[in-house]
């Protein structure tokens, strides 16, 4: 079974802090994704990466950046956290090939105060 | 790009009844359609998927149907049980979509005892 591990289940940060959310997968997947999930808004794609050091903007990249220095690790960075970034953040990975679904991590519930 | 619409947003059924969730997609090149179930506080998990060369797929009490001409696909759950209560997401992808899934907005299914 593919495992996608997010380093923190719950985080509380102050406005203006720099926040790092870490995601690690153990199945050598090329593709990794960061989503945020808010009530009534479904899953919104922030950034994704299809190779080491490669990144692509998703639908809502403003206020976020990402880093992928190693294939198994994909980090989401909030340069200066704001209260409107309070949300559930989900990481996912996907193997190469059309007929693969995502495997999601357990999520990080981030609260910015 | 691809757009996936999902209906209804909420659905309540009596235990033992059937539930149907419908999705439409916009990109005729889409050829892979997974469904995810997200229980409260947990990660989304793949429950069933269908490829474009198949019209229907069943796995015990759940089934998915695909109508490529009309560009819609549906999830059918029979003999619903309280543990089926969750948020369900449909998704679509194709080889040209940069390896990402496009999700519907989700359906909150509640099975009433």
């Amino acid at each position: 079974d593919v495992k996608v591990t997010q380093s923190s289940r719950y985080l509380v940060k102050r406005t203006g802090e720099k926040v790092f959310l870490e995601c690690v997968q153990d199945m050598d997947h090329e593709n990794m994704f960061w989503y945020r999930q808010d009530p009534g808004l479904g899953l919104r794609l922030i950034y994704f990466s299809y190779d080491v050091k490669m990144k692509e903007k998703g639908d809502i990249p403003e206020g976020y950046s990402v880093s992928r220095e190693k294939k198994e690790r994909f980090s989401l960075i909030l340069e200066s956290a704001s209260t409107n970034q309070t949300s559930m953040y989900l990481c996912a990975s996907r193997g190469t090939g059309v007929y693969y679904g995502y495997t999601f991590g357990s999520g990080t519930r981030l609260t910015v105060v | 790009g691809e757009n996936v619409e999902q209906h209804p947003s909420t659905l309540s059924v009596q235990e033992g009844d059937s539930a149907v969730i419908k999705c439409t997609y916009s990109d005729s090149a889409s050829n892979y359609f997974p469904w995810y179930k997200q229980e409260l506080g947990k990660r989304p998990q793949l429950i069933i998927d269908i490829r474009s060369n198949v019209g229907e797929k069943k796995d015990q009490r759940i089934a998915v149907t695909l109508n490529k001409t009309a560009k819609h696909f549906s999830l059918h759950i029979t003999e619903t049980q309280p543990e089926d209560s969750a948020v369900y997401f449909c998704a679509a992808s194709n080889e040209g979509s940069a390896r990402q899934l496009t999700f519907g907005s989700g359906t909150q299914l509640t099975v009433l005892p």
Side-chain angles (χ1 to χ4, degrees):
Chain A
D1 256 7
V2 177
K3 275 195 176 174
V4 178
T5 303
Q6 295 184 232
S7 54
S8 303
R9 190 78 177 95
Y10 299 96
L11 273 180
V12 180
K13 296 292 182 181
R14 295 197 179 277
T15 300
E17 276 194 78
K18 191 169 186 176
V19 181
F20 293 85
L21 303 183
E22 306 287 344
C23 176
V24 178
Q25 50 94 5
D26 66 357
M27 282 300 289
D28 203 36
H29 281 176
E30 289 78 9
N31 308 299
M32 297 187 74
F33 307 84
W34 276 106
Y35 286 84
R36 66 177 280 177
Q37 185 174 26
D38 301 288
L41 297 178
L43 296 163
R44 293 185 291 168
L45 181 63
I46 306 171
Y47 267 97
F48 64 99
S49 168
Y50 53 87
D51 202 352
V52 175
K53 297 193 185 294
M54 303 299 289
K55 60 184 179 184
E56 295 281 346
K57 292 181 180 179
D59 300 319
I60 53 164
E62 296 78 20
Y64 303 94
S65 62
V66 290
S67 172
R68 192 160 181 207
E69 296 296 319
K70 294 185 178 181
K71 191 174 186 179
E72 66 270 19
R73 186 181 297 271
F74 191 35
S75 302
L76 180 69
I77 304 158
L78 287 66
E79 295 290 343
S80 177
S82 64
T83 55
N84 63 12
Q85 293 178 309
T86 291
S87 186
M88 169 66 82
Y89 290 88
L90 286 164
C91 175
S93 74
R94 186 185 191 194
T96 298
V98 179
Y99 305 122
Y100 283 97
Y102 286 176
T103 299
F104 284 93
S106 296
T108 296
R109 171 74 63 185
L110 173 66
T111 302
V112 182
V113 298
Chain B
E2 174 69 280
N3 182 50
V4 177
E5 294 192 358
Q6 182 172 346
H7 300 280
S9 56
T10 60
L11 178 61
S12 293
V13 298
Q14 291 293 138
E15 184 176 355
D17 287 351
S18 295
V20 181
I21 302 170
K22 299 182 179 181
C23 290
T24 59
Y25 61 99
S26 61
D27 188 345
S28 57
S30 287
N31 54 8
Y32 175 66
F33 307 92
W35 285 87
Y36 289 82
K37 175 184 180 182
Q38 186 178 27
E39 297 177 66
L40 189 62
K42 297 190 175 181
R43 73 186 78 191
Q45 292 201 301
L46 180 69
I47 55 170
I48 195 167
D49 56 14
I50 191 167
R51 304 180 183 186
S52 59
N53 58 350
V54 175
E56 183 176 1
K57 183 176 178 180
K58 291 183 76 172
D59 183 2
Q60 298 183 343
R61 296 185 299 106
I62 60 173
V64 57
T65 58
L66 171 65
N67 183 327
K68 285 197 69 180
T69 303
K71 290 191 282 189
H72 67 70
F73 57 112
S74 300
L75 178 71
H76 304 253
I77 306 174
T78 59
E79 300 172 21
T80 53
Q81 301 168 3
E83 53 265 36
D84 294 329
S85 295
V87 177
Y88 292 81
F89 293 97
C90 63
S93 76
N94 61 68
E95 290 180 78
S97 63
R99 308 173 182 84
Q100 69 192 79
L101 297 174
T102 300
F103 287 91
S105 53
T107 296
Q108 173 68 63
L109 173 65
T110 302
V111 179
L112 305 168

